[in-house]
């Protein structure tokens, strides 16, 4: 209807850079890369009595330090190349030889480029990889013109963003908070006099930073990273899904030894560390399961954090701790494959038996079953009985007491301080009911106009009634998630977990090799070597039963720079190809073992 008026709206134009802009937020990436000593026997540190008990002493994020990373055995390989981040470098696309590849050449490469996946399909064609490279190679300012629906620069054709439209749209939002690092920085003369696009060789600017980067909303960074990861994961049959339950790293205290159990309680402390990450899941093949929201995995974790100040080592330790928690949470979720849920408090007395605090005088109020409650709907029946008693003759009521009434004042219950407010011995006030009032002659309550007696009963419990219910804590298992360690090497004793980490407008990929023994220790299993060391009374550090927690971290890739985001896309492609590769299922492994 109003399509004819679209031509009357003037298209947006570029102008000079704004003035009075706050200073930019400095780009100081965290530098926390714990390293284990090459000679473990040279360390004189005493081993912790229990890893879980040591981690449970953390109450604030600022308490995280290098000793906690050393207790876990963290060893980081910083700035690792893509061939080291992906366990099998053969799944990585070649770093060169993709410039100028046409569709015919891409089809000829499919025989060696495509691989079978775990979802009974083949990996994306080489044509898809070439298209993603070409779309991500578009200059930022030209892509921003398409997002803003501006005309291209004179003498240049309009660009087609294709599948990268959402990525450049989120990147254009971030350009208001961060300077485009692919362009030379603006000088003070350009800000004061204005930039002349006709006299500069650089692309014409369409966006300028107007706000400090530290004030950027956190959801913008999450949307940018999600759009970038989906460029690769969607063609592999995977997608990013927000967790329906809070991601938690569960810590279960190991059982106490006989020597320690005699002097203290025998209960085991259970705690958790929460995480704000999201997960990359595999989409089911059936349309009905996909529409129902069922997911499989997780495959990797995506952690985008909003911290911008890393001037102190404490901030770097906190940020690395969040990355580590995201990796361990993902490993715990993947380890749930083939297991049944065991609720916290299942079979415990504090989650099944009704009880009261134990104060003098016994339970009161709603803690007593069947008691009338002030302000409750049960009080209407009490007022109706008093009303029926007031209809009798006053003379008869004064001369002949009720059968259940006390014969004398001595037999009456002692008056309390609430008697003047109309509260009887039963503890229920007639004034609390809006449908009744006390007569002027001092008789019983009489009905008045007010709320109807037949109120509609509520279908849900009140907040207090929910609080009083004795039940287990809420479940931490997603009912619509099929937990599976997709891409795990069976029988290796560890699980390679990937974390896509993001800070500022940068991205890096981490591979965390989580030993299965470490997951057992976090789940409450004891450490035999540590207990043996305690019994011998040795002060030297014993070897951890799980060895070490090895991490390969890629360099930080700036998503504003074309070359760096192309390398980041190549690394993500290799991670998805290796994680989604076709592996032998558990049934096939059992058949092979039976035949052997």
């Amino acid at each position: 209807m109003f399509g004819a008026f679209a031509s009357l709206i003037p298209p947006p134009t570029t102008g000079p850079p704004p003035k009075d802009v706050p200073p930019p937020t400095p780009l100081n990436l965290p530098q926390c890369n714990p390293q284990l000593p090459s000679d473990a026997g040279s360390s004189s540190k005493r081993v912790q009595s229990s890893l879980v008990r040591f981690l449970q002493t953390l109450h604030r994020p600022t308490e995280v330090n290098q000793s906690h990373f050393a207790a876990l055995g963290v060893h980081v390989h910083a700035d690792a190349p893509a061939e080291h981040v992906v366990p099998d470098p053969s799944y990585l696309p070649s770093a060169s030889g993709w410039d100028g590849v046409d569709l015919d050449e891409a089809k000829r490469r499919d025989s060696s480029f495509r691989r079978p996946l775990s979802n009974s399909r083949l990996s994306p064609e080489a044509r898809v990889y070439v298209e993603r490279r070409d779309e991500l190679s578009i200059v930022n300012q030209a892509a921003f013109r398409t997002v803003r629906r501006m005309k291209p620069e004179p003498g240049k054709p309009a660009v087609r963003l294709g599948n990268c439209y959402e990525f450049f749209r989120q990147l254009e939002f971030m350009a208001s908070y961060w300077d485009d690092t692919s362009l030379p920085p603006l000088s003070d003369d350009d800000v004061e006099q204005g930039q002349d696009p006709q006299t500069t060789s650089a692309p014409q600017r369409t966006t300028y930073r107007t706000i400090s980067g530290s004030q950027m909303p956190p959801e913008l960074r999450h949307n940018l990273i999600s759009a970038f990861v989906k460029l690769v994961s969607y063609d592999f049959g995977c997608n990013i899904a927000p967790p329906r339950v809070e991601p938690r790293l569960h810590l279960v205290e190991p059982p106490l030894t006989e020597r320690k159990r005699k002097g203290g309680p025998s209960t085991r402390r259970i705690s958790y560390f929460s995480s704000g990450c999201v997960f990359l899941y595999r989409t089911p093949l059936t349309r009905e399961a996909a529409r129902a929201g069922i997911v499989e995995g997780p495959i990797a974790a995506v952690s985008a954090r909003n911290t911008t100040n890393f001037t102190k080592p404490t901030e770097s330790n906190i940020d690395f701790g969040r990355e580590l928690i995201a990796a361990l949470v993902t490993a715990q979720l993947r380890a749930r494959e083939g297991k049944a849920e065991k609720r916290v408090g299942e079979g415990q007395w504090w989650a099944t038996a009704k009880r009261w605090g134990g104060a003098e005088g016994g339970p009161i109020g709603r803690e007593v079953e069947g008691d009338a409650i002030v302000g409750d709907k049960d009080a209407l029946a009490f007022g109706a009985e008093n009303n029926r008693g007031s209809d009798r003759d006053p003379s008869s009521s004064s001369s002949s007491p009720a059968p259940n009434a006390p014969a004398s004042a001595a037999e009456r219950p002692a008056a309390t301080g609430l008697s003047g407010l109309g509260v009887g011995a039963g503890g229920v006030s007639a004034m609390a009911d809006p449908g009744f009032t006390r007569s002027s002659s001092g008789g019983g309550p009489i009905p008045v106009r007010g709320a109807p007696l037949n109120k509609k009963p509520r279908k849900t419990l009140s907040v207090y009634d929910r609080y009083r219910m004795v039940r287990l804590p809420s479940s931490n298992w997603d009912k619509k998630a099929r937990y599976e360690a997709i891409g795990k090497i069976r029988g290796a004793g560890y699980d390679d977990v990937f974390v896509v980490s993001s800070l500022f407008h940068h991205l890096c990929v981490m591979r965390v090799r989580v030993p299965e023994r470490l997951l057992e220790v976090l789940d409450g299993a004891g450490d035999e070597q540590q207990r043996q060391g305690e019994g011998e009374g040795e002060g030297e550090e014993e070897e951890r039963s799980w060895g070490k927690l090895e991490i390969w971290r890629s360099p930080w890739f700036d998503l504003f720079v074309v070359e760096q985001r192309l390398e980041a896309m190549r690394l993500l492609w290799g991670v998805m190809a290796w994680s989604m590769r076709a592996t032998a299922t558990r049934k096939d492994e059992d058949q092979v073992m039976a035949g052997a």
Side-chain angles (χ1 to χ4, degrees):
M1 177 178 178
F2 300 99
F5 296 97
S7 60
L8 301 179
I9 302 175
T13 58
T14 59
K19 299 180 180 180
D20 300 332
V21 178
T25 302
L27 295 175
N28 296 324
L29 292 169
Q31 301 295 330
C32 182
N33 300 310
Q35 302 284 332
L36 289 179
S38 57
D39 186 6
S42 61
S43 177
S44 60
K45 296 182 180 178
R46 297 182 60 87
V47 69
Q48 300 296 334
S49 59
S50 171
L51 171 67
V52 174
R53 294 193 186 98
F54 181 56
L55 295 179
Q56 286 179 341
T57 58
L58 288 173
H59 300 287
R60 299 178 182 84
T62 54
E63 298 176 357
V64 179
N65 51 40
Q66 295 292 331
S67 62
H68 299 92
F69 304 143
L72 286 168
V74 177
H75 184 78
V76 180
H77 302 275
D79 297 334
E83 289 73 15
H84 293 176
V85 176
V86 180
D88 190 354
S90 63
Y91 287 88
L92 275 169
S94 58
S96 60
W98 294 100
D99 296 333
V101 176
D102 55 359
L103 296 180
D104 296 336
E105 177 64 23
K107 290 182 180 180
R108 287 192 292 267
R109 298 187 182 185
D110 285 343
S111 58
S112 60
F113 188 80
R114 306 188 70 181
R115 297 171 180 265
L117 302 179
S118 58
N119 55 2
S120 303
R121 296 180 179 178
L122 292 177
S123 60
E125 305 172 355
R127 172 188 57 84
V128 178
Y129 183 74
V130 173
E131 289 179 355
R132 298 297 179 271
R133 281 185 53 90
D134 294 342
E135 293 167 353
L136 289 176
S137 300
I138 299 175
V139 181
N140 295 336
Q141 299 302 319
F144 296 161
R145 283 180 169 273
T146 302
V147 171
R148 292 190 170 190
R149 299 183 180 181
M150 298 173 58
K151 293 182 179 180
E153 296 185 40
K156 295 183 179 180
V159 297
R160 298 178 61 89
L161 303 182
N163 296 276
C164 295
Y165 179 84
E166 181 63 22
F167 167 74
F168 281 110
R169 191 173 74 91
Q170 300 298 333
L171 194 65
E172 193 267 340
F173 287 155
M174 294 192 67
S176 301
Y177 299 89
W178 305 93
D179 292 321
D180 188 352
T181 51
S182 63
L183 299 177
L186 292 175
S187 61
D188 297 337
D189 298 336
D190 295 335
V191 176
E192 294 178 359
Q193 301 177 5
Q195 183 182 12
D196 186 7
Q198 302 296 334
T199 59
T200 58
S201 58
Q204 183 179 359
R205 282 182 177 265
T206 59
T207 57
Y208 296 96
R209 184 185 61 83
T210 58
I211 312 175
S212 175
S214 58
Q215 301 178 4
M216 187 185 72
E219 56 268 15
L220 292 184
R221 181 176 295 104
H222 170 73
N223 295 338
L224 175 69
I225 300 304
S226 299
F228 186 78
V229 174
K230 288 179 181 179
L231 289 175
V232 179
S233 63
Y234 191 79
D235 294 299
F236 283 89
C238 304
N239 200 357
I240 292 179
R244 283 179 281 260
V245 294
E246 183 184 21
R248 296 176 177 178
L249 174 62
H250 293 273
L251 303 176
V252 182
E253 187 180 15
L256 298 175
T257 58
E258 294 294 336
R259 176 173 56 85
K260 294 184 177 181
R261 189 179 294 124
K262 296 179 181 179
S266 59
T267 59
R268 302 170 65 180
R269 180 184 175 188
I270 301 176
S271 60
Y272 64 87
F273 293 139
S274 59
S275 176
C277 63
V278 297
F279 298 104
L280 182 65
Y281 290 100
R282 186 177 64 186
T283 306
L285 294 179
T286 60
R287 182 177 300 178
E288 293 76 11
R291 288 183 175 180
I294 297 177
V295 293
E296 300 172 353
I299 297 177
V302 180
S303 176
R305 300 168 304 282
N306 200 37
T307 309
T308 57
N309 184 15
F310 296 101
T311 56
K312 299 180 180 179
T314 305
E315 300 294 337
S316 299
N317 294 337
I318 294 175
D319 187 79
F320 181 73
R322 290 170 178 168
E323 293 176 327
L324 202 58
I325 290 176
L328 294 178
V329 168
T330 308
Q332 283 189 344
L333 296 181
R334 290 165 59 89
R336 292 178 179 179
E337 179 183 0
K339 299 181 181 179
E341 179 184 8
K342 185 177 180 181
R343 300 279 295 274
V344 177
E346 187 174 2
Q348 300 293 331
W349 65 269
W350 52 266
T352 56
K354 293 185 178 181
R355 60 199 180 280
W356 125 87
E360 296 182 0
I364 60 175
R366 296 194 184 186
E367 304 298 332
V368 181
E369 298 294 338
D371 270 11
I373 304 168
V374 177
D376 197 57
K377 296 182 178 64
D378 297 337
L380 299 177
F382 175 80
E385 292 178 0
N386 290 346
N387 186 28
R388 288 194 299 268
S390 62
D391 294 337
R392 294 177 296 179
D393 187 6
S395 60
S396 62
S397 63
S398 60
S399 59
S400 60
N404 297 332
S408 62
E411 298 178 3
R412 297 195 192 103
T416 62
L418 301 177
S419 59
L421 300 178
V423 180
V428 180
S429 172
M431 298 177 63
D433 186 11
F436 292 89
T437 185
R438 188 168 298 280
S439 63
S440 59
S441 59
I446 59 177
V448 296
R449 295 180 180 272
L453 299 182
N454 53 350
K455 290 183 178 179
K456 185 178 180 180
R458 59 186 305 165
K459 298 181 180 180
T460 58
L461 298 176
S462 62
V463 176
Y464 182 70
D465 290 335
R466 289 180 178 272
Y467 168 75
R468 289 181 61 240
M469 292 180 64
V470 179
R471 55 184 176 178
L472 297 174
S474 59
S475 174
N476 195 245
W477 285 50
D478 189 357
K479 297 181 180 179
K480 293 186 178 182
R482 300 172 182 172
Y483 295 110
E484 183 180 355
I486 302 174
K488 179 182 178 181
I489 303 176
R490 305 293 179 180
Y494 58 83
D495 187 11
D496 284 325
V497 178
F498 294 94
V499 178
V500 181
S501 179
S502 175
L503 286 172
F504 303 105
H505 44 83
H506 295 68
L507 176 144
C508 80
V509 180
M510 301 170 56
R511 174 165 68 100
V512 184
R513 177 161 291 180
V514 182
E516 295 179 356
R517 176 58 185 167
L518 176 60
L519 296 179
E520 295 175 359
V521 172
L522 297 179
D523 200 26
D527 194 342
E528 291 81 359
Q529 295 184 3
Q530 289 182 358
R531 290 201 297 267
Q532 181 180 0
E534 291 177 2
E536 296 175 359
E538 296 179 357
E540 296 183 357
E541 184 177 3
E542 298 290 339
E543 184 181 359
R544 304 171 188 84
S545 60
W546 61 88
K548 59 183 177 179
L549 190 63
E550 201 165 4
I551 300 175
W552 290 266
R553 181 196 291 275
S554 70
W556 288 95
F557 303 108
D558 190 350
L559 296 181
F560 276 114
V561 181
V562 175
E563 293 77 11
Q564 296 189 24
R565 64 175 176 239
L566 287 179
E567 181 64 19
M569 192 270 293
R570 172 177 170 265
L571 177 56
L572 282 177
W573 192 282
V575 169
M576 293 303 305
W578 187 85
S579 300
M580 288 292 296
R581 74 192 186 281
T583 57
T585 60
R586 191 179 298 273
K587 183 184 299 185
D588 297 338
E589 291 178 355
D590 296 340
Q591 293 178 357
V592 172
M593 295 298 294

